[in-house]
Amino acid sequence: MVGCRLVFAWLRPLAAASAFMISAWALSAQDEDRQMDRFISSLMKKMTLEEKVGQLVQIPANFTTGPEVKTGDYRKAIANGYVGSMLNVEGVAETRKYQELAMQSRLQIPLLFGKDVIHGYRTGFPVPLGEAASFDLEAIERAARCAARESAASGIHWTFAPMVDVGWDARWGRVMEGAGEDPYYGAAVARARVRGFQGDDLADTLTILSCIKHFAAYGAPIAGKEYNSVDMSMGQFANFYMLPYKAGIEAGAATVMSAFNDFCSVPSTVNRQLLRDILKDDWGFEGFVVSDYYSLGEVINHRCAADTREAALKGIEAGLDMEMSSPCYSGHLADLVREGLVSEKLVDDAVRRILEQKYRLGLFEDPFRYCSEAREKAIVSSAQSHADALYVSERSMVLLKNAGDILPLSDDVKTVALVGGLSKSAHDMCAKWSCADESRAVTLYDAMRKRGVEVLYSDGYNLDTDEITGLEKTIEDVRRADVAVVAIGERGEYSGEMRSRGDIAIAAEQQELVEAIARTGTPTVVLLMCGRPVIFNEAREAAGAVLCTWWLGSEAGNAICNVLWGDYNPSGKLPMTFPLHHGQIPIYYQYKSTGRPASNGWWHARYMDIPNEPAYPFGYGLSYTQFSYSSPEVLPGDGGDVHARVRVEVSNTGDRAGEEVVQLYVRDEVASVTRPVKELKGFRKIALAPGESLEVVFDITDAQLGFYTESLDYVVEPGDFTFMVGTDSEHFESVAFTLEERTGKKKSKN
Ligand code: GLC
């Protein structure tokens, strides 16, 4: 007993000290907020109405990422304090120049520099959909951290990322920028990317503001057509599109970007239900909302405002804080306030939200704290950045086929026929929304020639026309080689904004070339380079192995070679379903049963002329080793929030170390509304040595069992559920579970 008393005696002061430390931390955080409030309130008292409106204005410099805009003499406006932010200014020298201009203004309020740092800055990373295929949240966070370091060192304060729009339709080119078709996984990726960009302290000069975009549901345009209308019930929005936005806000994202599309018949940019009711009131968002490029001005095109004056009024009332590129606020907001049509309180709220972020970045202390040439030189394109890019790129690739274990290439391979100009194209490797220094990108061609094998290279087809070229020489090379590696795909610019395509098949000529090469009998590996799911049935049928490389950025060549030769065992999984046929699109795994559940029988949810099944399902990806799963079992919960646990044992039954993404899907067997046949509700990426086994346990809480109602209440209903644990959304084992008691309604708290 004495020992026990001594222990308690010793613990008491420690407990007191830690309590003091926690309360001191909380106090200091409160103190800091109070100090910030005092500073901003005092500054705002000095601001004229025009200077306040100026803070709500963002103008593009250098180049536009949308329709050309007439910005007038913006240098004079900056020097007068009538501009709060600029986009597409980069580099220490240039940001310093504009900041010096801003310091000429009466109150010397610093400018905020924003840019689309979407997948890396000068060191390019995989396109976001490719990165999402890693199902490796640490790798994803590491990529965002590197992008933040490099862009912050280049004078940039804010990235218009992460794009978190859920996408079910591969015709929409911007699926490239997101995390795919699943809201649960999209939410996890949103959190990781916000953490990566913002770190723990925005005052750190190597962290930047993040931006959750595009709010809301921009990924669901009707017919996959860019900028098209989005129309869905609030229940559909809440259960299939909302989570990633909400997760990003909960992770502390500093800004949100409104979407181009109308949402339930109101343009998102002036949609009060989205921007004020849900985002600011329900979710308590304290950062600021920026429009998309000219999207406030485009409310006129939506035919929801007669002119820029009415657009300005609708924007400020709906909760839009900053206007990107269009002239509505700068042209009319001060007058609207003076005429009593807009309360100055609304303007003040927007101004405060923006000034708070500038304060948090430390820009009032030192407007030039991000302008260090020495830091820029040391950090941008550093060896560390390239190591980060290689690490993430290796983990992003998805092995789709490997007949006869063609891969990994063995040491017996002395001669490789490398076919396809994409293997030489740094520009394509870096893809759309690239900020990369392409001169430093390592292409597959460059990297392969350093592998100590003889590389017989041929273009195979014209990159612009897809026309097959030099077939005779290609076939001659292939016959001489131990293996053929054929790079096919869509061009790097073919996915991204304004890249909706009705035809997402890989060019017939490219596929015919693969078939001709395979007919020689030489083992044929297809590398699929793309920014979205594509249809390539003939090529994947003919090839012995298929590796989806996406567009990997600056370290693409080294990463692909490391996977081809097995230095890294591919571990990626598809974050989006790959269609078998255009007629299936949009195709996604979390479809609903319907009254006549999908099957090949008559009178069932199916097509007459094409199958229901995709080419490759959500969550699919092979490895160079094999994994086995024990049957899942349900264990008791903790009597509190954990209703149950699902346990499975995963073993590496092959002869090579590898990583597996263990996936948990849940089906609510009977509910008050129709629910999907399955939904991803947990995943764990684990590494296993040959012969090693690991127990994986998933906690089952409300988050795994509930759903949102039309009024955005989150409810969990008692009854039967099925848990499915496996290697993808079609290969799993099931176990039943019954939730006994109703856990009651919780307003949007899951
Ligand atoms: C573009 C995009 C948006 C981007 C913005 C600024 O039109 O929709 O994602 O951040 O304009 O470039």
Side-chain angles (χ1 to χ4, degrees), residues 58 60 63-67 87-88 114-118 159-161 163 165 174 177 211 213-214 218 226-227 257-260 290-295 298 324-325 433 497-498:
Q58 181 186 66
F63 59 92
T64 62
T65 41
L87 73 145
N88 298 334
K115 182 165 178 65
D116 294 284
V117 183
I118 305 300
T159 177
F160 305 126
M163 182 275 216
D165 303 313
R174 300 197 79 168
E177 301 172 44
C211 181
K213 72 182 187 182
H214 304 79
Y218 178 27
E226 183 62 286
Y227 310 130
M257 182 181 290
S258 67
F260 285 124
V290 63
S291 75
D292 201 336
Y293 194 97
Y294 221 96
S295 66
E298 289 169 0
M324 180 188 287
S325 302
W433 289 119
E497 185 176 357
M498 252 321 285

Side-chain angles (χ1 to χ4, degrees), residues 300-530:
I300 299 166
N301 301 336
H302 279 284
R303 309 218 314 280
C304 283
D307 50 31
T308 49
R309 175 182 158 91
E310 187 179 7
L313 187 144
K314 288 198 165 187
I316 199 71
E317 286 187 344
L320 178 73
D321 301 306
M322 183 183 283
E323 178 181 11
M324 180 188 287
S325 302
S326 45
C328 309
Y329 282 1
S330 55
H332 303 286
L333 203 46
D335 291 346
L336 287 166
V337 171
R338 289 205 172 87
E339 291 163 29
L341 297 173
V342 166
S343 156
E344 187 162 357
K345 286 195 174 66
L346 292 184
V347 175
D348 288 348
D349 177 59
V351 173
R352 180 175 293 275
R353 287 170 179 268
I354 292 163
L355 294 180
E356 284 182 353
Q357 299 309 324
K358 294 184 177 183
Y359 184 94
R360 288 201 166 95
L361 289 168
L363 294 175
F364 285 108
E365 264 173 56
D366 174 6
F368 300 98
R369 63 197 306 266
Y370 280 75
C371 298
S372 155
E373 280 81 359
R375 190 166 55 217
E376 184 177 41
K377 191 169 181 326
I379 287 178
V380 175
S381 302
S382 65
Q384 175 61 53
S385 295
H386 278 262
D388 288 346
L390 178 60
Y391 180 89
V392 177
S393 298
E394 287 172 337
R395 286 153 179 79
S396 301
M397 284 177 261
V398 185
L399 182 62
L400 298 177
K401 181 179 181 182
N402 193 19
D405 291 340
I406 292 178
L407 294 177
L409 302 179
S410 73
D411 295 342
D412 303 340
V413 169
K414 303 298 180 203
T415 306
V416 177
L418 176 60
V419 183
L422 291 176
S423 66
K424 275 187 163 181
S425 169
H427 182 67
D428 288 286
M429 295 273 162
C430 295
K432 195 87 176 76
W433 289 119
S434 168
C435 310
D437 175 352
E438 293 178 9
S439 70
R440 293 171 180 264
V442 180
T443 65
L444 175 58
Y445 177 75
D446 300 337
M448 193 177 276
R449 293 192 313 151
K450 295 183 184 133
R451 293 296 297 203
V453 293
E454 184 188 7
V455 178
L456 308 174
Y457 171 78
S458 59
D459 284 339
Y461 54 92
N462 180 302
L463 274 183
D464 296 319
T465 66
D466 290 312
E467 185 191 353
I468 293 176
T469 59
L471 182 59
E472 197 175 323
K473 194 256 182 205
T474 299
I475 296 300
E476 190 183 304
D477 288 349
V478 168
R479 290 191 190 287
R480 264 189 61 207
D482 301 310
V483 67
V485 175
V486 192
I488 65 171
E490 57 167 14
R491 299 300 300 273
E493 298 272 335
Y494 281 20
S495 285
E497 185 176 357
M498 252 321 285
R499 291 337 190 250
S500 282
R501 289 164 56 203
D503 180 352
I504 59 168
I506 295 303
E509 298 87 342
Q510 292 185 30
Q511 299 200 62
E512 284 156 18
L513 178 62
V514 171
E515 290 176 305
I517 289 169
R519 278 197 295 272
T520 65
T522 299
T524 301
V525 177
V526 157
L527 300 179
L528 179 65
M529 299 179 172
C530 57

Side-chain angles (χ1 to χ4, degrees), residues 423-717:
S423 66
K424 275 187 163 181
S425 169
H427 182 67
D428 288 286
M429 295 273 162
C430 295
K432 195 87 176 76
W433 289 119
S434 168
C435 310
D437 175 352
E438 293 178 9
S439 70
R440 293 171 180 264
V442 180
T443 65
L444 175 58
Y445 177 75
D446 300 337
M448 193 177 276
R449 293 192 313 151
K450 295 183 184 133
R451 293 296 297 203
V453 293
E454 184 188 7
V455 178
L456 308 174
Y457 171 78
S458 59
D459 284 339
Y461 54 92
N462 180 302
L463 274 183
D464 296 319
T465 66
D466 290 312
E467 185 191 353
I468 293 176
T469 59
L471 182 59
E472 197 175 323
K473 194 256 182 205
T474 299
I475 296 300
E476 190 183 304
D477 288 349
V478 168
R479 290 191 190 287
R480 264 189 61 207
D482 301 310
V483 67
V485 175
V486 192
I488 65 171
E490 57 167 14
R491 299 300 300 273
E493 298 272 335
Y494 281 20
S495 285
E497 185 176 357
M498 252 321 285
R499 291 337 190 250
S500 282
R501 289 164 56 203
D503 180 352
I504 59 168
I506 295 303
E509 298 87 342
Q510 292 185 30
Q511 299 200 62
E512 284 156 18
L513 178 62
V514 171
E515 290 176 305
I517 289 169
R519 278 197 295 272
T520 65
T522 299
T524 301
V525 177
V526 157
L527 300 179
L528 179 65
M529 299 179 172
C530 57
R532 71 172 92 195
V534 291
I535 295 175
F536 65 119
N537 297 327
E538 292 74 21
R540 66 193 185 88
E541 184 60 36
V546 178
L547 181 67
C548 178
T549 67
W550 313 103
W551 288 116
L552 292 171
S554 300
E555 283 293 326
N558 290 326
I560 294 171
C561 283
N562 287 353
V563 168
L564 288 175
W565 270 273
D567 301 337
Y568 180 77
N569 182 355
S571 60
K573 298 282 185 177
L574 294 179
M576 262 188 95
T577 303
F578 271 51
L580 188 70
H581 191 287
H582 283 93
Q584 297 174 325
I585 299 171
I587 182 171
Y588 44 93
Y589 84 91
Q590 65 279 53
Y591 56 86
K592 298 196 174 176
S593 299
T594 76
R596 297 187 172 180
S599 85
N600 291 326
W602 202 249
W603 311 117
H604 283 274
R606 49 172 288 217
Y607 303 96
M608 279 183 68
D609 54 347
I610 56 175
N612 276 339
E613 293 70 31
Y616 300 107
F618 174 83
Y620 176 85
L622 303 175
S623 169
Y624 292 154
T625 188
Q626 293 74 43
F627 299 101
S628 69
Y629 284 67
S630 69
S631 298
E633 56 177 318
V634 177
L635 307 175
D638 64 2
D641 290 341
V642 179
H643 305 295
R645 290 187 170 95
V646 184
R647 177 193 174 280
V648 71
E649 188 162 276
V650 184
S651 304
N652 178 345
T653 55
D655 57 6
R656 173 186 293 270
E659 293 156 281
E660 168 69 329
V661 180
V662 183
Q663 298 157 48
L664 165 70
Y665 295 89
V666 177
R667 179 170 56 241
D668 187 342
E669 292 299 342
V670 179
S672 54
V673 295
T674 56
R675 305 286 299 122
V677 292
K678 64 177 83 89
E679 292 175 285
L680 182 76
K681 292 293 185 185
F683 64 93
R684 196 83 40 79
K685 187 163 194 175
I686 59 173
L688 291 174
E692 184 183 9
S693 296
L694 194 63
E695 177 182 81
V696 176
V697 178
F698 293 103
D699 284 354
I700 302 298
T701 67
D702 284 357
Q704 277 67 39
L705 303 177
F707 61 88
Y708 285 94
T709 64
E710 279 303 311
S711 50
L712 300 191
D713 286 324
Y714 188 75
V715 297
V716 177
E717 297 176 343

